[in-house]
Amino acid sequence: MKPSNIIQILFITLISNISFGQTKFIQQKAGHIFYLDIPDYMTKTVGLNDVASIQYKSSVKDIYTIAIEDSKEDLAILEIHYSTINEFQEEFANDFLNNEDKRTISKAIFKSKDNTNFAEFEASYFDKDAQIEIYYLIGIIETKTHFYKVLSWTTMENKDKYKADFQKIIYSLKD
């Protein structure tokens, strides 16, 4: 190979590297971290809900908890806007278990703590397959950047035994 050909190849290689090196990159954030206090008798699991960020259960006690996060930024991209936690909670409650027999939804209780808004409400329905009434305590939590749905459930007969634990889970959320 002639020295002039080698110089041409090196020049083309150098120019192409410089032009590729000019590409601007922007760092993007992926994922979101939040914290939730879970009773030590519950263990991490999967399969309760496909969109849940975390899932816990106690098969022995027959109780379950999941948390689902909704980024306000992602909702805005989808052109979904909630002006208050009340709107978010109301829409979720209207759709939750709406095809189930003997469905009940309580009125929500709203609280605020450390720049975080909370809505808590109860729901229940009769599970035809299991022939038992299922009880839910649901927390809707609004932070500066996210809405969260924290759902804990058990059988209606265990409601009084675990409701306080379910409430502690809801009000422990921090991001």
Side-chain angles (χ1 to χ4, degrees):
M1 204 186 259
K2 293 183 183 177
S4 63
N5 288 346
I6 294 173
I7 291 174
Q8 283 179 332
I9 292 171
L10 286 173
F11 181 74
I12 291 170
T13 305
L14 178 64
I15 294 299
S16 65
N17 281 342
I18 289 173
S19 63
F20 286 122
Q22 298 285 332
T23 303
K24 186 176 180 181
F25 286 84
I26 300 169
Q27 186 179 50
Q28 298 292 329
K29 181 180 153 188
H32 176 71
I33 295 175
F34 66 95
Y35 302 93
L36 204 58
D37 295 344
I38 303 292
D40 62 359
Y41 57 78
M42 296 181 82
T43 58
K44 198 169 198 171
T45 190
V46 295
L48 299 176
N49 183 292
D50 292 340
V51 296
S53 301
I54 60 170
Q55 305 176 52
Y56 284 84
K57 72 176 183 177
S58 171
S59 297
V60 172
K61 297 180 184 289
D62 196 24
I63 63 171
Y64 308 87
T65 294
I66 63 170
I68 300 168
E69 60 182 297
D70 291 304
S71 161
K72 290 181 179 180
E73 181 181 356
D74 291 346
L75 291 172
I77 290 168
L78 298 170
E79 298 181 8
I80 301 171
H81 304 278
Y82 297 100
S83 60
T84 65
I85 188 174
N86 303 52
E87 286 180 7
F88 189 91
Q89 182 276 329
E90 187 175 298
E91 183 173 305
F92 180 74
N94 286 339
D95 291 339
F96 188 65
L97 302 172
N98 65 354
N99 294 326
E100 298 296 339
D101 287 347
K102 299 181 184 175
R103 171 187 178 256
T104 63
I105 303 285
S106 72
K107 185 175 177 175
I109 299 167
F110 295 91
K111 298 179 183 180
S112 292
K113 177 178 118 181
D114 301 327
N115 296 320
T116 302
N117 298 315
F118 297 88
E120 171 192 331
F121 66 98
E122 297 174 309
S124 66
Y125 78 100
F126 184 77
D127 185 314
K128 290 183 248 180
D129 296 331
Q131 290 294 301
I132 196 161
E133 194 170 5
I134 305 296
Y135 165 79
Y136 287 85
L137 184 66
I138 301 161
I140 304 295
I141 299 100
E142 179 188 22
T143 66
K144 183 177 180 181
T145 60
H146 284 75
F147 285 103
Y148 300 89
K149 297 174 281 231
V150 177
L151 291 80
S152 296
W153 69 94
T154 188
T155 61
M156 187 58 84
E157 74 178 36
N158 286 330
K159 170 189 171 181
D160 294 334
K161 191 185 295 185
Y162 296 112
K163 183 177 177 180
D165 287 354
F166 292 170
Q167 287 172 315
K168 287 178 187 175
I169 293 169
I170 292 168
Y171 292 102
S172 73
L173 190 135
K174 293 179 184 76
D175 70 355

